[in-house]
C-alpha cells in the first residue's frame, strides 16, 4: 500500500509505503504495479494508537449492560426505576455497571433486593473490582447464604458459575478502529490460559482486528484490606524468576507504597508496570524513579470522575491525583490508556483530559499536571512491550497507522477522534478507506 501526500507531525509531507512494516518514507515515491494507492491529501499520518490498559471481555459485555453510574442515576429511586425497566439478558440476568456510592450509598444484597426485580441481578462497582448480587443472583451462583452479596470480580468461586458472554468483540474492535486504535493490551488480572487462547482465536478470526497483548498472568490487583509486603514481594520475585514482568494495580497511596517497597525488595524487570497510579504522594515520585518502573495511567478519569474527587478527596491531596507532568519531569516512563470499559473507550478523550485536566463541571483539577497536546498524543504511540517508547513513521517500524483528515496544527489543537479517516494494521485497512 502506498500512502501519498501524508503530513507528519513535524510538518513535512511525504509518501509512505507500508506492508506488515513501513517499507519506505520519502517524497514522491513511485507506485508499483498492482499497489493500492491512498491519497492522504495532506492529512496527518501518525503511528496507530495503542491502548495500554483495557478489558476486552468486560467491554463486550458492557455493550448490553445497564449503566447505573452517577452520570446516569442520581438517587435510590432512580436506580429502582432503571432496573425495573431493564431487559433481562439471554442468560437470565440483569447486568448493571458503573455503580458508585454517590448514587444511593454503599450497595449490598439487602438494598439491591429492595430496588431490583425478582430476577438475578449483579451490579458492578465502577472500580471494576467488586460486584453486588441480589438474593436471586446469589442463589443462582450457589451463595444463597452470603451475608452482604458483595463479591470480588477476581473470585472464581462465584464467577465461574456465570454463563460467559462470547459476543460483542467485533463491535468493540470496530469502535476502536474508528478511534485509530491499532493495538490493545488486555489488563484483566484473572485471565486463565483458556481465556487468553479464546482472545487470540478471536484475533486470528478477524473478530478483533487490533494487535493483542495480555498482561496475565503477571497482573495483580491489590486491596487495602489485605496488603502484605512479604507476599507481594515473593510473588514478584517468582514472576521475575520466570522472566515475566509484573503489572500491579495501584489506585490508592497505600497500594503504591507497598508495591514500590515490594519491587525494591524483589528487584525489577525492565518491563514492570504500575497500573493506574491514581494517587501518587510527593515522596513516591522519587521512589518510582529509583525502582525504574513504567506507569500506565488514565487521565480521562479526571474528566469522567473529577467532580466526585472534588467532593471525596481533601484539597491538599488534589495534586496527587492522576499525575502526569510531574512524572514526566522526573523522567518516569509513562504511557496512557483508557481502562475501557471502566473509562470511556475513546483515547482522544483521555488526551484532551491530559491537556486540560477539566472535570465535567468545568473545574481544573491539578493544573500543574497538564501536559502539551503533542505529549498526550505521543503517550499512545508505544508498543505492547515498550509502552513508553514511541513508535515513529520510519522504515522498519510496524505497519500500523492512523490517517487523519486534518493537518498537524488542527490535530494537535482539537485532539478529536472525529478526525480519524482510516486505520491500518500491518498494512491492512481495518477502518475507513
Amino acid at each position: 500500500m502506498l500512502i501519498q501526500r501524508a503530513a507528519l507531525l513535524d510538518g513535512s509531507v511525504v509518501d509512505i509505503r507500508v506492508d506488515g512494516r513501513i517499507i519506505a518514507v520519502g517524497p514522491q515515491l513511485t507506485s508499483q504495479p498492482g499497489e493500492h494507492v491512498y491519497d492522504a491529501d495532506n492529512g496527518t499520518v501518525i503511528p496507530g494508537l495503542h491502548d495500554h490498559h483495557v478489558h476486552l471481555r468486560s467491554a463486550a459485555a458492557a455493550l448490553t449492560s445497564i449503566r447505573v453510574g452517577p452520570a446516569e442515576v442520581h438517587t435510590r429511586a432512580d436506580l429502582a426505576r432503571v432496573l425495573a425497566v431493564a431487559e433481562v439478558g439471554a442468560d437470565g440476568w440483569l447486568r448493571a455497571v458503573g455503580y458508585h456510592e454517590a448514587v444511593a450509598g454503599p450497595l449490598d444484597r439487602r438494598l439491591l433486593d429492595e430496588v431490583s426485580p425478582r430476577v438475578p441481578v449483579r451490579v458492578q462497582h465502577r472500580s471494576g473490582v467488586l460486584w453486588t448480587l441480589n438474593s436471586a443472583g446469589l442463589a443462582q451462583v450457589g451463595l444463597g447464604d452470603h451475608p452482604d452479596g458483595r463479591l470480588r470480580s477476581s473470585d472464581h468461586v462465584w464467577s465461574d458459575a456465570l454463563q460467559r458472554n462470547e459476543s460483542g468483540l467485533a463491535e468493540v474492535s470496530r469502535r476502536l478502529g474508528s478511534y485509530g486504535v491499532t493495538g490493545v493490551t488486555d489488563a484483566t488480572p484473572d485471565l486463565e490460559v483458556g481465556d487468553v487462547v479464546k482472545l487470540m482465536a478471536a484475533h486470528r478470526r478477524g473478530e478483533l482486528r487490533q494487535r493483542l497483548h495480555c498482561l496475565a498472568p503477571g497482573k495483580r490487583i491489590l486491596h487495602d484490606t489485605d496488603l502484605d509486603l512479604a507476599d507481594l514481594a515473593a510473588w514478584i520475585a517468582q514472576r521475575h524468576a520466570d522472566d515475566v514482568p509484573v503489572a500491579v494495580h495501584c489506585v490508592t497511596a497505600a497500594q503504591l507504597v507497598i508495591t514500590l517497597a515490594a519491587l525494591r525488595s524483589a528487584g525489577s524487570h525492565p518491563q514492570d508496570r504500575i497500573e493506574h497510579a491514581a494517587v501518587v504522594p510527593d515522596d513516591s515520585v522519587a521512589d518510582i524513579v529509583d525502582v525504574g518502573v513504567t506507569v500506565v495511567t488514565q487521565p480521562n478519569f479526571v474528566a469522567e470522575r473529577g467532580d466526585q474527587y472534588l467532593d471525596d478527596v481533601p484539597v491538599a491531596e488534589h495534586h496527587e491525583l492522576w499525575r502526569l507532568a510531574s512524572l514526566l519531569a522526573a523522567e518516569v516512563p509513562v504511557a496512557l490508556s483508557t481502562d475501557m470499559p471502566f473509562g470511556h473507550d475513546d483515547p482522544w478523550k483521555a488526551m484532551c483530559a491530559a491537556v486540560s485536566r477539566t472535570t465535567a463541571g468545568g473545574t481544573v483539577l491539578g493544573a500543574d499536571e497538564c501536559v502539551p497536546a503533542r505529549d498526550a498524543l505521543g503517550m499512545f504511540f508505544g508498543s505492547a512491550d515498550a509502552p513508553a517508547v514511541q513508535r515513529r513513521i520510519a522504515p522498519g517500524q510496524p505497519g500500523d497507522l492512523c490517517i487523519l483528515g486534518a493537518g498537524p496544527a488542527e490535530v494537535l489543537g482539537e485532539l478529536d477522534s472525529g478526525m480519524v479517516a482510516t486505520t491500518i494494521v500491518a498494512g491492512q485497512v481495518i477502518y475507513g478507506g
Side-chain angles (χ1 to χ4, degrees):
M1 179 179 187
L2 179 64
I3 303 170
Q4 296 179 328
R5 296 198 295 165
L8 305 185
L9 286 174
D10 64 7
S12 61
V13 178
V14 298
D15 292 351
I16 305 168
R17 176 164 285 117
V18 61
D19 202 338
R21 290 192 171 272
I22 296 175
I23 300 168
V25 178
Q28 299 180 333
L29 298 178
T30 302
S31 62
Q32 299 174 349
E35 184 175 45
H36 174 59
V37 177
Y38 182 107
D39 184 3
D41 192 21
N42 294 303
T44 307
V45 178
I46 59 175
L49 308 181
H50 190 103
D51 195 332
H52 297 285
H53 183 119
V54 303
H55 302 272
L56 289 168
R57 290 296 185 194
S58 294
L63 295 174
T64 55
S65 298
I66 312 142
R67 297 207 60 84
V68 293
E72 299 85 18
V73 178
H74 306 290
T75 65
R76 178 168 165 167
D78 278 350
L79 180 61
R81 174 183 51 77
V82 167
L83 292 176
V85 300
E87 185 175 344
V88 178
D91 60 356
W93 285 79
L94 283 181
R95 185 184 192 276
V97 297
Y99 186 81
H100 184 268
E101 291 75 12
V103 170
L107 193 62
D108 60 16
R109 69 179 293 173
R110 178 193 59 78
L111 191 153
L112 196 51
D113 283 346
E114 292 176 2
V115 300
S116 67
R118 296 182 182 276
V119 297
V121 177
R122 63 184 190 272
V123 179
Q124 188 179 43
H125 191 270
R126 75 176 183 184
S127 66
V129 302
L130 184 72
W131 288 89
T132 303
L133 278 61
N134 68 353
S135 294
L138 289 166
Q140 189 78 10
V141 298
L143 294 174
D145 59 352
H146 194 278
D148 58 19
R150 295 159 63 87
L151 306 174
R152 286 183 178 174
S153 302
S154 57
D155 184 357
H156 286 274
V157 170
W158 74 276
S159 62
D160 283 351
L162 299 173
Q163 177 181 323
R164 296 295 182 186
N165 181 356
E166 299 298 336
S167 64
L169 277 182
E171 174 58 17
V172 170
S173 181
R174 187 203 65 77
R175 287 175 61 91
L176 292 175
S178 74
Y179 302 143
V181 175
T182 58
V184 293
T185 294
D186 191 286
T188 307
D190 54 346
L191 289 184
E192 297 181 346
V193 172
D195 299 314
V196 175
V197 168
K198 287 180 179 179
L199 285 174
M200 294 297 182
H203 176 65
R204 288 194 300 273
R205 290 194 303 268
E207 186 178 354
L208 180 66
R209 305 292 301 275
Q210 285 72 22
R211 294 184 191 265
L212 172 65
H213 176 70
C214 295
L215 291 180
K219 169 73 187 295
R220 182 161 176 171
I221 289 182
L222 302 181
H223 302 276
D224 282 358
T225 54
D226 57 2
L227 294 175
D228 186 323
L229 174 58
D231 175 67
L232 182 59
W235 176 78
I236 292 172
Q238 181 57 58
R239 295 298 179 193
H240 288 174
D242 295 334
D243 195 28
V244 176
V246 300
V248 186
H249 169 111
C250 296
V251 295
T252 68
Q255 292 167 12
L256 179 63
V257 169
I258 287 291
T259 297
L260 293 172
L263 286 166
R264 192 176 295 109
S265 172
S268 61
H269 185 287
Q271 294 178 340
D272 284 343
R273 301 166 36 143
I274 289 176
E275 307 301 310
H276 308 304
V279 182
V280 181
D282 292 336
D283 293 343
S284 295
V285 175
D287 292 335
I288 293 173
V289 174
D290 290 341
V291 169
V293 67
T294 295
V295 170
V296 177
T297 189
Q298 299 83 30
N300 46 303
F301 287 130
V302 172
E304 296 173 30
R305 304 178 182 177
D307 291 320
Q308 196 67 50
Y309 297 148
L310 294 173
D311 290 338
D312 296 345
V313 179
V315 173
E317 298 173 12
H318 284 179
H319 71 285
E320 300 177 352
L321 296 171
W322 301 106
R323 288 182 186 258
L324 266 183
S326 58
L327 296 179
L328 294 175
E331 300 186 354
V332 173
V334 180
L336 299 186
S337 67
T338 64
D339 199 17
M340 171 190 81
F342 308 110
H344 198 289
D345 58 0
D346 183 347
W348 298 86
K349 292 183 181 295
M351 297 175 211
C352 288
V355 172
S356 72
R357 296 188 64 91
T358 303
T359 71
T363 300
V364 176
L365 180 59
D368 290 343
E369 296 296 333
C370 295
V371 299
R374 179 63 181 81
D375 291 350
L377 178 59
M379 282 185 277
F380 278 100
F381 286 172
S383 59
D385 57 355
V389 178
Q390 295 184 18
R391 290 169 289 124
R392 297 173 293 114
I393 305 297
Q397 291 282 303
D400 306 339
L401 303 172
C402 174
I403 303 174
L404 301 159
E410 185 178 350
V411 168
L412 294 176
E414 297 293 332
L415 293 178
D416 187 343
S417 60
M419 293 184 288
V420 174
T422 301
T423 303
I424 298 168
V425 176
Q428 302 294 315
V429 173
I430 68 164
Y431 172 80

